[in-house]
Each structure stands twice: as C-alpha cells, then as structure tokens.
Amino acid sequence: MMYLLRKPIFLLLCSLSSILSPTLAQVTTQSTTNPKVEELSLEECIQIALQNNLQIKQSALQVSADQNNLIQSKWQRWPSLGFNASQGFSFGRNIDPFTNQFVQQNISFNNYSLNSSVTLFNGFQLQNTIRQNDLTLQASQKDFATNRNDVMLNVALAYVQVLSNEELIEVSTRQIEATQLQLDRTQRLVDAGTLAESQLFDLRAQIANDELSLVNAQNNLESARLTLKQLMNLPASEQITVQRLNVADPALRAYESSVNEVYETAIQNLPQMQAAQLRIQAAQQGVEVAKSQGLPSLSLSGGLSSAFSSAAPSERFVADGTGTTTTPVPSQTRFVQAGEFTFPVVELVTVPNGSVQHFGYFDQLNFNRNSSLNLSLRIPIFTNYQTKYRVANAKIQQKNTEFQADLISQQIRLNVEQAYIDLSNSGKRYSATANQVRALEEAFRVSESRLGVGAINSADYSISKANLDRARANLIQTKYDYVLRTKILDFYMNKPLTLD
C-alpha cells in the first residue's frame, strides 16, 4: 500500500534536488581520515541509485522482452521461408527414387526442398496480437517509470534524513557550547565565592547529557548515510557527504488545491495508473485474439524441390524438340521364311530427334526439379469448445485487469487523502512547535539570568535547557516533515517544484 505513496513522493523529491540545492556539481572535500570524501547532490545520489538498482535493471529487461515480442508479432505478417536437405542410403531391394521402380541394388540419394508460406487471413488474429503486444509494451514502460520513481523516493527520503541529522548535530554542538559557557561563568562565580560549588555538578552533568545527545545524533547520521549508500548500492566503506540544501522555514497556509483536484490530477499522471489502463486495453485485444481463433483462415504456400539417386543412369537420350525421324530397323526376334531363306522383319521405328547426353549430379537435380503452389482454406466447425472457453477466459482476464485498475485508483485516492490530512497535521505541529521554541527560548534566557545571580539552582537551569533542546530538535524534524509533505502534494498535482 505504501508503494503507491512512495512513488509519487519520489519524482517530487527527485526534482527537489534541482530546487533545493544551489548547484549540482560534484565536489570533493578533504578529510582527516580519508584523503577524499565525495560530496554528492541529491540529483547525483538519485542518478547513482538508478544506475545501480537491480530491480530497475530487471524492469528494463522486461521492457526489452516485450519490445521483442511486439517486433516478432509484426514479422508474422511476412512469408516464412525454409530449406530442407537430406542424405540417405538404401540396401537390397529398394524403390529407385528416380524411376519409382523396384531395383535390387544399393542406392544413395539426396532430397532438397525450398518452402514458403504466408497467412492471408486468420480472423484478424495477427493484427489484434500486434495491438495487444504494443499495449503490453507501453504498460511495461510505465512499470519501468514506476520503479524509477520508487527508487528516487527512497533515495530522496534518505537524503533528507541525512540533512536532518546533520542539522541536529549542529544544534547539539551549539547546546554543548552554550552549556560550556555557562559552566565557565559559574566556575568563575564559584571561585569568587558568589555561588556554592554544588552548582557546578549539575552543569557538568548537563554537559555530559549534551555530549550524549551529540553522540546519538552522530550515530543517527551514520545510520542515515549507510541507508543512503545501500539505496545507491555503494559499499558501506565508501565515504560520502551530501550537499546541503537551504530549506527555508515553511510559510504555513492552506494548500491551494482541494483533495478532489489533487486526486484527479494524480490519476491522469501517475505511471502506475497509466499502466493499469493500458493493461485493460491489452486484455480487450486478448478477447479479440481469442475470438479470431474460431474464424476461417486462408494461407498461401509454395515449394521447390529436387532429388538425386545413384541408381539413375549416367547417360540418357534427350530429345532436342526438333521433331522425329522414321528409320527402318531389322527385327532381332521376328523373321520371315521364304523357301530355304530366312529374312528378318523390317520395322519402321519413329524416334524423336536428339542425342545421348551425360547426366551429372547437378544435371539430375535440374532434371528432377519440381515446383508447387497451394492455397489453403481452413474453416473451424467444431473444436471441442476450445474457442468458446478461450474467449471466456480472456474476458475474465479483462475483468481482472479492470478490478486491478480500480484497486490502484482506490489506493491513489487513499494516499492523496492521507497526504492531504498529513500536510494539515504537519502544519499544525510545526506551528505549535515553533511557538513552543519561542516560549522556551524566552524561559531559558530568564533562567540563564537568574542562574547568574543565584536566583535558581543549576538543576532548574538544566531542566529549562533540556526542554529547549528537545523543542529545537522537534522543530527541525517538523520543518523537514512539512516541506516533504507539501512536495508530495505538489507531485500529485504534476507541478514544478519550488520552495516558494
């Protein structure tokens, strides 16, 4: 559920980098522990995370796979072409592939064929499949954008968490300095005999508490940096710092757009909603694809083939097409007896003009060449209800995608409503905390003065200072919280991000 909320916040905070940071250039600073510490802007952190994130890489691969499916489905409209070749041997009594007569000899033979076919019509299945694959590709691209938003949001939140902890460290440091100044002043008064030495013990304890607060803030900063580096897929040992963002104190005012306006704008612009709508359209095309399987199909095919047989004679008489010649030929088996003489019967034999030619391997292949062309019509009459239930399942899938889109729309509405009320509550919390800080600052100023003249003891002073320190830390956190929640709604409204 938080997935949908986190994405919007991302893009927002992604753009926030260019708004909040004075420059996007990469800088390096010298450190006593490391020769170079890399300082990164928010945009640079996001770019590193986008380059290193494995989920984004997987999403990009899915986009490539869907793109291949679309291209391949488009190629289905073109004719196919295939070549087949075979080598065989027959032993003993066989059928001569050349004459189709029985022979008693060993034969080696070759067969070659070149075939092609093209679908002329198949119930618009090819066209609907192309449209479905195109919509699926667009949905995958929107999923890719959604994953990028998710990464950018996490990085931006971690980045701001680092900034918040750095500011808390500065507050803790100033607290220690203020307490130390008060301790030095009290020490001088004790040395002068104006105050009792017991006043020093409470102040030293207060300094110890302030130092503990500083250590906790430093630990929180290191944890926040580690989270940021993990989101960027960088090793924990790599030293980085983030570029400071000048986040101004927020001006508390009602958001300029209503909840419904924010929701309607978010529905039109969030990539996860666009992906859901594209999948509904793809499912509708899937229904048409299933229906087309029950329609007639028409295809055209053709082929070219030839064969070689070792049983074929190497020499053959080949007519030249110039006519025939009649020649008297004495018979070798028929004779006529005239008295004591025997004469062969002379027969007139008509043969075509030509000559005996030698037939080599390629000559035989050329002589045996054969071609064919076929037009095939297929009309499904009864297919065991396969088409019927394919259509039914495709309609169920379409309904499922519609419900999924409704769930996403519902979740976006819940997120927008939650973000809207969170902004209102955050503004109230920031206003109350700011008033608390101002009141506690005045109370602490009075406590400092009264401690200096011995009107209160150091314990009362420490309580006043601790209350002010907590209020200042809360004010820092509520300030960043209010700014971020404002930017979330700005993102839902698809507005350019500014700090105005």
Side-chain angles (χ1 to χ4, degrees), residues 158-319:
Y159 190 96
V160 173
Q161 189 64 34
V162 171
L163 294 179
S164 176
N165 282 291
E166 287 181 346
E167 195 163 336
L168 288 174
I169 287 177
E170 292 179 0
V171 171
S172 298
T173 303
R174 288 196 298 268
Q175 291 170 357
I176 293 175
E177 293 172 353
T179 306
Q180 184 64 49
L181 289 175
Q182 189 62 44
L183 177 63
D184 294 340
R185 181 182 177 184
T186 303
Q187 181 69 56
R188 288 192 298 269
L189 294 175
V190 170
D191 293 341
T194 306
L195 293 177
E197 187 176 3
S198 59
Q199 298 281 5
L200 295 175
F201 300 146
D202 291 332
L203 290 175
R204 288 169 182 164
Q206 181 62 43
I207 285 185
N209 289 334
D210 292 343
E211 290 174 346
L212 177 60
S213 298
L214 176 60
V215 170
N216 290 334
Q218 291 171 339
N219 291 340
N220 292 336
L221 175 60
E222 289 304 314
S223 297
R225 281 179 178 166
L226 177 61
T227 300
L228 179 60
K229 286 186 283 189
Q230 289 174 340
L231 291 171
M232 296 162 61
N233 202 17
L234 297 177
S237 59
E238 184 163 342
Q239 299 297 314
I240 64 170
T241 60
V242 300
Q243 208 172 79
R244 297 302 301 270
L245 306 180
N246 297 321
V247 181
D249 292 339
L252 301 179
R253 59 179 180 271
Y255 198 73
E256 59 186 18
S257 300
S258 67
V259 174
N260 289 335
E261 289 173 339
V262 175
Y263 169 71
E264 292 298 331
T265 304
I267 285 294
Q268 296 175 8
N269 293 282
L270 289 182
Q272 60 265 37
M273 192 67 235
Q274 296 171 350
Q277 293 169 345
L278 288 168
R279 286 196 166 88
I280 292 177
Q281 299 176 38
Q284 292 172 346
Q285 292 298 322
V287 174
E288 298 301 321
V289 171
K291 289 180 179 179
S292 64
Q293 296 177 1
L295 298 177
S297 61
L298 183 65
S299 61
L300 177 67
S301 62
L304 180 65
S305 62
S306 185
F308 168 82
S309 172
S310 62
S314 60
E315 292 186 349
R316 296 183 61 198
F317 178 84
V318 179

Side-chain angles (χ1 to χ4, degrees), residues 66 70 73-74 129-139:
D66 290 336
L70 173 60
S73 62
K74 289 181 177 179
T129 300
I130 291 173
R131 295 191 190 103
Q132 184 182 27
N133 290 339
D134 184 36
L135 292 168
T136 301
L137 171 61
Q138 295 180 49

Side-chain angles (χ1 to χ4, degrees), residues 69-119:
N69 290 336
L70 173 60
I71 296 174
Q72 193 274 334
S73 62
K74 289 181 177 179
W75 276 105
Q76 291 298 308
R77 297 174 298 182
W78 291 79
S80 63
L81 181 65
F83 174 75
N84 297 310
S86 64
Q87 168 74 54
F89 300 92
S90 296
F91 307 94
R93 182 176 175 82
N94 298 300
I95 295 179
D96 182 3
F98 189 79
T99 62
N100 281 332
Q101 295 180 351
F102 284 101
V103 292
Q104 188 68 32
Q105 66 180 88
N106 298 335
I107 299 175
S108 65
F109 56 89
N110 299 112
N111 292 305
Y112 302 98
S113 64
L114 187 66
N115 303 290
S116 179
S117 64
V118 61
T119 300

